[in-house]
Amino acid sequence: SKNSLSIYADPIDGSDDSGDGSEKDPFLTIQRALAAVREARWEKSSLGTEEIATIVLRKGTFHLREAIKMSAKDSFVTLQAYPGEQVEVSGSIPVTNVEWKPTEAPPRLPYEYRVGVLADGFDVADGGMYTLEEATTICTRIPECAGFAYNSSSKEPKGKVAVISFKSAVFYSPPGKKVNNSYICIKNYGYLPGVAQNLFVANLTGLGFNPETLQGLRVGGKRAIRARYPNAKSVEQLESMQILADSWTPQPMGKNPDYTF
């Protein structure tokens, strides 16, 4: 019959230095627990590598800086959660002891105009005959409105123009594909009166990885959206008016919002 070995790891209260892998004094990392299994098997080589081993993971998140490599020599090793506890194994890096500082966004207007056309669909309100001031007021009043297209002989006409429709998403065709006398007006959400831009920067070089490889950030367990500026090309460089995201982190309103991280 095969012998049995249990090694414990605890991402919160464990220690790779002083722990011994027991339930009372668990290791901190999965890597150290796996090394202990290998060491025990080596010392008990007469039992062979088929000794059954279980690495029991206590509640919390195990953050992996590198992949765990296992081979045939690690046969009959099981990793399992401690009964009744929730365990996560993540390739993310905790962002701790980092100072976040408010930063200013590049200057833009609440609404900007371009020569071009918008893709069909995504309508949130019907068009009509409006002045640009009336149209932007309507778009501001509708949270889902991202912009509108209008027909005019000039970019910023003084009188009423034919607004085609108000849209929830703006896919912009630049001047090379324009239709005569067609313009678009785009809402810059973060620049509307009373809206806090909530842009912050932090130096992450002390976390031991290259910030340029950062793929995402989670705050309170929810995925946050990185500011486009200065992390990516501008909308002008991309020849687009908006970059859409699958989700959005709600932001507090007002000039002096309370920020919590």
Side-chain angles (χ1 to χ4, degrees):
S1 63
K2 296 181 176 66
N3 292 274
S4 179
L5 171 68
S6 295
I7 299 293
Y8 291 79
D10 188 326
I12 300 174
D13 298 320
S15 173
D16 286 348
D17 297 323
S18 60
D20 57 15
S22 64
E23 184 173 1
K24 181 180 178 182
D25 295 307
F27 292 123
L28 177 67
T29 64
I30 296 175
Q31 291 90 332
R32 182 65 186 91
L34 182 58
V37 169
R38 292 167 176 168
E39 293 166 2
R41 283 181 166 183
W42 179 264
E43 293 175 357
K44 301 176 182 178
S45 57
S46 61
L47 300 176
T49 59
E50 290 190 352
E51 179 184 18
I52 295 175
T54 302
I55 297 177
V56 183
L57 307 179
R58 301 305 302 263
K59 66 178 179 180
T61 301
F62 289 86
H63 295 277
L64 305 181
R65 288 298 185 101
E66 58 185 23
I68 297 175
K69 298 180 180 180
M70 303 178 71
S71 66
K73 294 181 179 180
D74 299 307
S75 299
F76 302 102
V77 175
T78 300
L79 280 75
Q80 69 178 43
Y82 191 89
E85 295 186 354
Q86 182 172 339
V87 175
E88 295 182 2
V89 179
S90 172
S92 64
I93 298 175
V95 180
T96 56
N97 299 320
V98 170
E99 182 181 4
W100 292 88
K101 298 179 180 179
T103 187
E104 293 293 331
R108 300 191 82 97
L109 296 173
Y111 284 90
E112 295 182 350
Y113 305 90
R114 296 286 190 279
V115 177
V117 296
L118 296 178
D120 294 333
F122 306 100
D123 297 344
V124 294
D126 295 332
M129 296 299 297
Y130 302 104
T131 65
L132 289 188
E133 182 178 359
E134 291 170 339
T136 55
T137 299
I138 293 174
C139 192
T140 300
R141 190 169 62 240
I142 303 174
E144 297 80 12
C145 180
F148 56 88
Y150 59 96
N151 294 326
S152 173
S153 58
S154 64
K155 183 171 67 174
E156 298 185 51
K158 301 300 182 182
K160 292 181 180 293
V161 295
V163 175
I164 300 172
S165 64
F166 297 90
K167 296 182 178 291
S168 62
V170 174
F171 294 92
Y172 168 59
S173 294
K177 303 176 183 179
K178 71 177 182 179
V179 177
N180 291 336
N181 298 329
S182 180
Y183 293 87
I184 65 173
C185 180
I186 178 69
K187 178 201 290 184
N188 289 324
Y189 292 94
Y191 294 85
L192 294 177
V195 175
Q197 293 182 346
N198 293 0
L199 291 179
F200 290 79
V201 295
N203 186 343
L204 304 182
T205 55
L207 298 179
F209 77 105
N210 183 359
E212 293 182 359
T213 65
L214 179 66
Q215 298 297 313
L217 176 67
R218 291 183 179 272
V219 179
K222 296 183 179 180
R223 184 169 184 173
I225 298 177
R226 298 178 68 196
R228 291 295 302 175
Y229 175 86
N231 299 311
K233 291 182 178 180
S234 68
V235 290
E236 288 80 11
Q237 290 172 312
L238 291 171
E239 290 191 337
S240 64
M241 291 298 285
Q242 282 188 322
I243 304 298
L244 301 183
D246 292 333
S247 62
W248 186 257
T249 301
Q251 301 295 333
M253 304 292 284
K255 295 182 179 180
N256 297 301
D258 293 328
Y259 302 106
T260 302
F261 292 97

